[in-house]
Amino acid sequence: MDEQFEKELKENGAGVDMAVKRFMGKKELYKKFLVKFLADHSCEAIAEHIGGNNYEEAFNSAHTLKGVAGNLGLDPIYEKASEITELLRGKQPDEVDRTKVDAVVEELRRINGIFKDIISKYE
């Protein structure tokens, strides 16, 4: 794994060192899974489901993204996906604070884009 790649990930809040440990210290294997993350569309699915007021599916997509991002050490994505799951967990549609959810989704989309841009530079 390229030093510059690792540096950019870390500068944007990724927990690279812990993630590499999860991958048994194999940086190239870790990189392989980061590249696979480029094909993950959970972030887009969250926004789409929120837009359609399908909060259960938005919750499921956020929960999926939370797990993937957590395993890859993409901590800022993990944190926003976690925040969305908590804003939606067990809520009926009329109980969802849509303004707050929309703000977190926008921030998630921004952060997700940053990481996907970094990863795509080094794939």
Side-chain angles (χ1 to χ4, degrees):
M1 187 159 121
D2 183 276
E3 282 183 39
Q4 185 61 31
F5 182 27
E6 191 172 335
K7 181 181 177 200
E8 284 187 50
L9 290 169
K10 288 179 177 180
E11 285 175 348
N12 284 280
V16 174
D17 296 331
M18 287 301 296
V20 169
K21 284 181 184 179
R22 278 188 214 97
F23 285 84
M24 301 169 286
K26 298 178 180 177
K27 287 186 176 185
E28 288 308 311
L29 180 61
Y30 173 56
K31 180 181 177 183
K32 179 180 174 181
F33 279 85
L34 284 172
V35 170
K36 286 184 177 207
F37 179 71
L38 293 173
D40 184 282
H41 299 290
S42 299
C43 186
E44 293 84 354
I46 293 166
E48 183 179 315
H49 294 309
I50 292 292
N53 298 320
N54 189 342
Y55 301 123
E56 185 176 340
E57 285 303 314
F59 172 87
N60 291 336
S61 293
H63 196 270
T64 297
L65 182 58
K66 181 175 105 168
V68 170
N71 284 327
L72 293 175
L74 302 176
D75 299 341
I77 294 173
Y78 171 85
E79 290 164 9
K80 292 300 169 189
S82 295
E83 193 173 343
I84 292 167
T85 60
E86 292 311 308
L87 288 168
L88 299 176
R89 186 182 306 278
K91 299 269 180 24
Q92 295 299 314
D94 61 335
E95 298 173 314
V96 173
D97 182 343
R98 186 61 188 266
T99 302
K100 191 166 193 171
V101 170
D102 286 345
V104 178
V105 169
E106 271 311 302
E107 183 64 6
L108 172 63
R109 292 176 82 173
R110 186 187 70 77
I111 293 167
N112 192 66
I114 289 169
F115 280 103
K116 285 194 171 184
D117 287 347
I118 292 168
I119 295 165
S120 66
K121 283 196 314 191
Y122 296 96
E123 69 173 308

